[in-house]
Amino acid sequence: MIRRPPRSTLSSSSAASDVYKRQPIEHVQEDPLPLELRNRLRDSIVDIYKSREWWLEKEPERAKWWRQLSYFNEKGQHVSETGEDSMRGVDGWDEMKAIITPLAVNYFESIAHYPYIELLKEHWHIYGWWMVCDEKQHLKYHHHAQHCVIGNYYVQKDEEHAPMKLKSPLDSLIISSTPGVSKIPSEVVLNGKTGDLLLWPGWIEHEVPGTDTLIYRKGEAQGGYIHNPNDKYERLRVTIVLCFIDPALQFGYQLTGKGVNIKEVEQKREV
């Protein structure tokens, strides 16, 4: 005898049908920082960026890339090699971390159950850097899987600037198993504005397309992909990237002597 599943699993409100009611794994927080703080962040980053112009004299091609990312120095060395702070000289960085961290904790709590979530509110370490892009800059698909949560804060972004694109983790499965042309978009476009904070899990691949790349617009004809019609940005896009490290690396191990021992913290609370 063939047993049918309960009727509830076949209803429109069933878990199976909920697959099609996707709970967004990404999150957009509008204007989490005060305007005065955002202006200080912008002014200090732009000043540092302009002060790096002399880098182009010796290495006109490679230094253009080094100059745009704060984790490089004038020799193209990464801060992980030199021990420098990638946010050095940025006015308001500590204030920003104090505001953003609770938002990241709330987001993490919404997508995962973590037994020591309260400790993250006090001790979650952030690795950050700033990025300044012109209209032709194209950041290809990449991820930060070594980190838990990624934040992208738009210090300055005009409406015509290219949006952020997140690739669906089901992209390969959709392509390989769907006959014909799939109607399921493999990318999510987040067209944030100045002051917005974007959050997503570190393992999700993301891209910032340039002016000559295709971007997805839901509902458009021919699969929804169109050319970005803008051929020039009036201003630079200034972004701060925030990487919240894996809690296991922070709480579970003492390899660098900088981590937080969960048992020690809990014992102090009991006392």
Side-chain angles (χ1 to χ4, degrees), residues 2 9 11 18 25 42 46 112 123 133 150-151 160 164 174 182 240 254 257 261:
I2 299 177
T9 64
S11 67
D18 285 345
I25 199 170
R42 179 200 62 206
V46 171
H123 302 288
C133 295
I150 303 300
E160 65 269 22
M164 175 76 69
I174 292 172
S182 174
I240 294 178
Q254 299 293 317
N261 187 291

Side-chain angles (χ1 to χ4, degrees), residues 168-180 182-186:
S168 168
L170 297 177
D171 182 56
S172 298
L173 179 61
I174 292 172
I175 294 175
S176 62
S177 63
T178 304
S182 174
K183 294 182 179 180
I184 302 175
S186 61

Side-chain angles (χ1 to χ4, degrees), residues 174-214:
I174 292 172
I175 294 175
S176 62
S177 63
T178 304
V181 179
S182 174
K183 294 182 179 180
I184 302 175
S186 61
E187 298 166 346
V188 175
V189 177
L190 301 178
N191 198 7
K193 64 181 186 304
T194 296
D196 284 354
L197 170 69
L198 314 182
L199 295 168
W200 65 86
W203 48 265
I204 289 185
E205 290 187 272
H206 52 285
E207 174 190 37
V208 179
T211 57
D212 58 347
T213 57
L214 293 172

Side-chain angles (χ1 to χ4, degrees), residues 45-57 63 65-74 79 85-86 88 130:
I45 291 174
V46 171
D47 286 345
I48 297 172
Y49 173 75
K50 289 181 178 178
S51 71
R52 292 177 161 196
E53 187 173 3
W54 67 272
W55 293 12
L56 304 175
E57 296 176 2
W65 175 250
W66 302 340
R67 181 192 182 197
Q68 293 176 324
L69 295 162
S70 66
Y71 52 69
F72 285 127
N73 63 16
E74 69 275 11
V79 294
D85 180 5
S86 56
R88 61 191 181 281
W130 55 258

Side-chain angles (χ1 to χ4, degrees), residues 239-271:
T239 306
I240 294 178
V241 180
L242 307 102
C243 298
F244 293 82
I245 71 171
D246 185 342
L249 297 178
Q250 180 171 324
F251 297 143
Y253 303 95
Q254 299 293 317
L255 298 179
T256 63
K258 298 179 181 179
V260 177
N261 187 291
I262 291 178
K263 292 185 178 179
E264 290 181 1
V265 173
E266 290 181 336
Q267 288 174 357
K268 290 180 181 178
R269 286 183 171 181
E270 292 175 359
V271 174

Side-chain angles (χ1 to χ4, degrees), residues 1-237:
M1 181 178 67
I2 299 177
R3 299 185 60 184
R4 297 190 64 186
R7 181 176 295 275
S8 61
T9 64
L10 301 176
S11 67
S12 60
S13 61
S14 69
S17 65
D18 285 345
V19 172
Y20 301 99
K21 301 174 183 177
R22 189 179 71 90
Q23 178 67 31
I25 199 170
E26 73 282 351
H27 175 70
V28 179
Q29 180 76 40
E30 296 185 352
D31 298 318
L33 303 185
L35 178 61
E36 180 273 336
L37 174 55
R38 189 177 77 214
N39 289 341
R40 280 194 283 129
L41 291 166
R42 179 200 62 206
D43 292 344
S44 57
I45 291 174
V46 171
D47 286 345
I48 297 172
Y49 173 75
K50 289 181 178 178
S51 71
R52 292 177 161 196
E53 187 173 3
W54 67 272
W55 293 12
L56 304 175
E57 296 176 2
K58 294 184 178 180
E59 294 280 355
E61 293 299 325
R62 290 189 296 177
K64 182 180 179 181
W65 175 250
W66 302 340
R67 181 192 182 197
Q68 293 176 324
L69 295 162
S70 66
Y71 52 69
F72 285 127
N73 63 16
E74 69 275 11
K75 298 179 181 179
Q77 296 172 308
H78 196 280
V79 294
S80 61
E81 303 175 20
T82 63
E84 298 173 283
D85 180 5
S86 56
M87 293 298 287
R88 61 191 181 281
V90 177
D91 184 18
W93 170 232
D94 289 335
E95 297 170 63
M96 178 183 182
K97 289 190 292 184
I99 296 174
I100 297 299
T101 297
L103 300 176
V105 172
N106 291 340
Y107 165 70
F108 181 46
E109 191 173 19
S110 73
I111 63 172
H113 172 71
Y114 184 66
Y116 301 104
I117 196 73
E118 293 299 321
L119 292 179
L120 288 181
K121 297 178 182 179
E122 302 175 17
H123 302 288
W124 208 353
H125 179 71
I126 305 173
Y127 171 61
W129 67 84
W130 55 258
M131 177 172 60
V132 177
C133 295
D134 58 27
E135 68 274 11
K136 295 182 180 179
Q137 185 69 50
H138 176 207
L139 299 179
K140 297 181 179 180
Y141 269 116
H142 62 288
H143 61 75
H144 306 285
Q146 69 272 33
H147 299 291
C148 181
V149 170
I150 303 300
N152 189 90
Y153 178 73
Y154 287 123
V155 182
Q156 176 174 287
K157 180 181 182 294
D158 291 342
E159 291 184 0
E160 65 269 22
H161 283 174
M164 175 76 69
K165 292 167 57 179
L166 304 183
K167 180 182 290 187
S168 168
L170 297 177
D171 182 56
S172 298
L173 179 61
I174 292 172
I175 294 175
S176 62
S177 63
T178 304
V181 179
S182 174
K183 294 182 179 180
I184 302 175
S186 61
E187 298 166 346
V188 175
V189 177
L190 301 178
N191 198 7
K193 64 181 186 304
T194 296
D196 284 354
L197 170 69
L198 314 182
L199 295 168
W200 65 86
W203 48 265
I204 289 185
E205 290 187 272
H206 52 285
E207 174 190 37
V208 179
T211 57
D212 58 347
T213 57
L214 293 172
I215 61 174
Y216 181 83
R217 294 286 176 81
K218 187 175 181 180
E220 295 284 349
Q222 299 180 352
Y225 286 89
I226 62 172
H227 279 284
N228 188 341
N230 307 295
D231 58 0
K232 184 178 181 180
Y233 298 160
E234 295 180 358
R235 296 192 299 172
L236 295 172
R237 182 177 65 248

